[in-house]
Amino acid sequence: MSKEKKGGKGRIMWGLIYAAAFVSVFAVSAAVKMTYNPLSKAFAFAWDDSVGRIYTDLSYGDGAANKFDLYVPADNERESYGLVVYLHAGGFTSGDKSGDADILKRLCSMGYVAAGINYTLRDAGHPETSVYSQSVEIKDSIPAVVKEAERLGYKLDRMAISGGSAGGCLALIYAYRDADTSPIPVKMVFEMVGPASFHHEDWSPYGLDKSPQAAAGLFSVMSGNRITEEMIRENDYDEEVKDISAYMWVNENSVPTLCAYGVHDKVCPFDSVRHLIRALEENHVPFDYIEFPHSGHGLQNDNKLYVKYMEKLTEYLDKYLK
């Protein structure tokens, strides 16, 4: 089915009503349960000029939100460096790169150039914003990040991309959909609780499994495509959500993946995770999936598994990015 990018025309009122309601639920849930980033405490690190330097609010586009922060190591004499991009959480409607300062500082202290990137949020001032348009902004930002790092004397020749929740979703999209267009090779992706698929039957916490009308409204907003109630009923909307469904882009050449999800997650519905894991398995992509059996979106109730995730992350960085 051909894609029809939504503009101001052709919108149906019920779609707007349902979309607004469900996007609000998603945003509020994400704000409550992801007030803290689960990586922040683990990455907390004493920072001064002997470790690195931060350049803030650098531009990568014309939009007010098209800004990034760059963290560069004090050691600027190496021949080349790896880049780690971390994308912030916030339910696609809130959040800021500054909330990931601890993570970015720690990554920089490990010898990587690190970047936190903002993207246009869906809010009252930007009602046309979608997950798709946000993913395009991230894609457009990477060349600017690489160029600025090299202008400062840090030649980049490899990268990893990461994020949490909404940022995890965008990181997966870039890693699988856009890696081929990256100005430097993408070597790995690591993320926590990022939605990787959009099938209405899996989004039961929002009632989308029982309401084709609600599913059509929400997925239209998130994808930026017009999806009808009939398409939901007939399960005929894969092409419309493909650009925001990271798992659909997984193939035998996809990058190694480290991911973590909570069994009781109601923000990023846990049932949606199975599509990503199946795609990685079927395409023989190296990956580690850590399931938190007692946790929701914040991954807060399985401390031993959280330690395991951090240990795996160190392994991945050492193996694929150094």
Side-chain angles (χ1 to χ4, degrees), residues 3 13 51 64 74 109 123 155 157 172 226 253 276 293 304 321:
K3 300 171 77 172
M13 185 57 67
V51 179
S109 78
D123 54 24
K155 178 176 175 54
D157 62 2
L172 290 171
R226 182 174 180 271
N253 297 315
L276 173 61
K304 290 183 179 180
L321 209 61

Side-chain angles (χ1 to χ4, degrees), residues 42-308:
F43 271 101
F45 183 77
W47 179 269
D48 57 36
D49 290 344
S50 68
V51 179
R53 185 171 180 180
I54 308 171
Y55 296 86
T56 61
D57 290 329
L58 304 168
S59 295
Y60 69 84
D62 297 330
N66 295 159
K67 307 289 185 184
F68 66 95
D69 294 345
L70 198 62
Y71 296 66
V72 296
D75 170 16
N76 61 356
E77 297 181 355
R78 301 208 317 260
E79 182 177 338
S80 65
Y81 295 80
L83 169 69
V84 183
V85 171
Y86 195 91
L87 305 175
H88 70 77
F92 308 105
T93 64
S94 63
D96 186 88
K97 54 188 170 51
S98 62
D100 299 319
D102 286 342
I103 300 168
L104 294 162
K105 288 176 181 177
R106 181 59 177 170
L107 289 164
C108 182
S109 78
M110 297 166 70
Y112 303 109
V113 173
I117 301 173
N118 275 358
Y119 44 91
T120 303
L121 303 172
R122 182 178 175 86
D123 54 24
H126 305 91
E128 301 301 316
T129 298
S130 65
V131 177
Y132 173 73
S133 68
Q134 292 170 340
S135 73
V136 171
E137 289 184 339
I138 297 305
K139 178 181 177 180
D140 292 344
S141 74
I142 303 301
V145 171
V146 173
K147 182 177 179 180
E148 182 62 20
E150 297 191 348
R151 187 188 72 80
L152 294 170
Y154 297 83
K155 178 176 175 54
L156 305 177
D157 62 2
R158 59 206 182 277
M159 69 172 282
I161 191 161
S162 179
S165 193
C169 174
L170 296 171
L172 290 171
I173 291 171
Y174 187 85
Y176 303 146
R177 191 193 73 192
D178 298 328
D180 288 347
T181 67
S182 176
I184 54 175
V186 181
K187 296 296 186 179
M188 58 174 278
V189 58
F190 62 99
E191 62 88 25
M192 290 178 156
V193 298
S197 66
F198 296 87
H199 294 279
H200 68 280
E201 64 271 20
D202 299 330
W203 283 65
S204 56
Y206 301 90
L208 303 192
D209 56 327
K210 296 181 174 62
S211 175
Q213 192 177 34
L218 180 59
F219 289 172
S220 290
V221 165
M222 298 181 89
S223 67
N225 290 323
R226 182 174 180 271
I227 299 173
T228 67
E229 188 175 343
E230 181 182 5
M231 292 160 67
I232 297 293
R233 286 200 176 96
E234 296 179 356
N235 272 312
D236 186 21
Y237 58 93
D238 277 0
E239 283 302 309
E240 282 67 28
V241 297
K242 182 176 181 179
D243 277 337
I244 64 170
S245 294
Y247 90 93
M248 291 185 180
W249 297 90
V250 173
N251 59 46
E252 64 274 10
N253 297 315
S254 292
V255 298
T257 301
L258 172 63
C259 56
Y261 291 87
V263 170
H264 300 286
D265 197 336
K266 299 296 190 294
V267 178
C268 169
F270 180 69
D271 285 346
S272 67
V273 176
R274 58 192 172 93
H275 302 285
L276 173 61
I277 304 310
R278 184 184 302 122
L280 294 169
E281 289 175 340
E282 290 177 350
N283 287 279
H284 307 290
V285 177
F287 79 97
D288 278 277
Y289 162 58
I290 300 178
E291 185 171 289
F292 286 57
H294 307 106
S295 296
H297 199 60
L299 301 180
Q300 67 274 38
N301 297 324
D302 295 280
N303 291 339
K304 290 183 179 180
L305 290 173
Y306 186 77
V307 171
K308 180 180 178 180

Side-chain angles (χ1 to χ4, degrees), residues 26-39:
F26 187 92
V28 170
S29 298
V32 171
K33 298 186 180 182
M34 288 293 291
T35 300
Y36 75 99
N37 188 316
L39 287 180

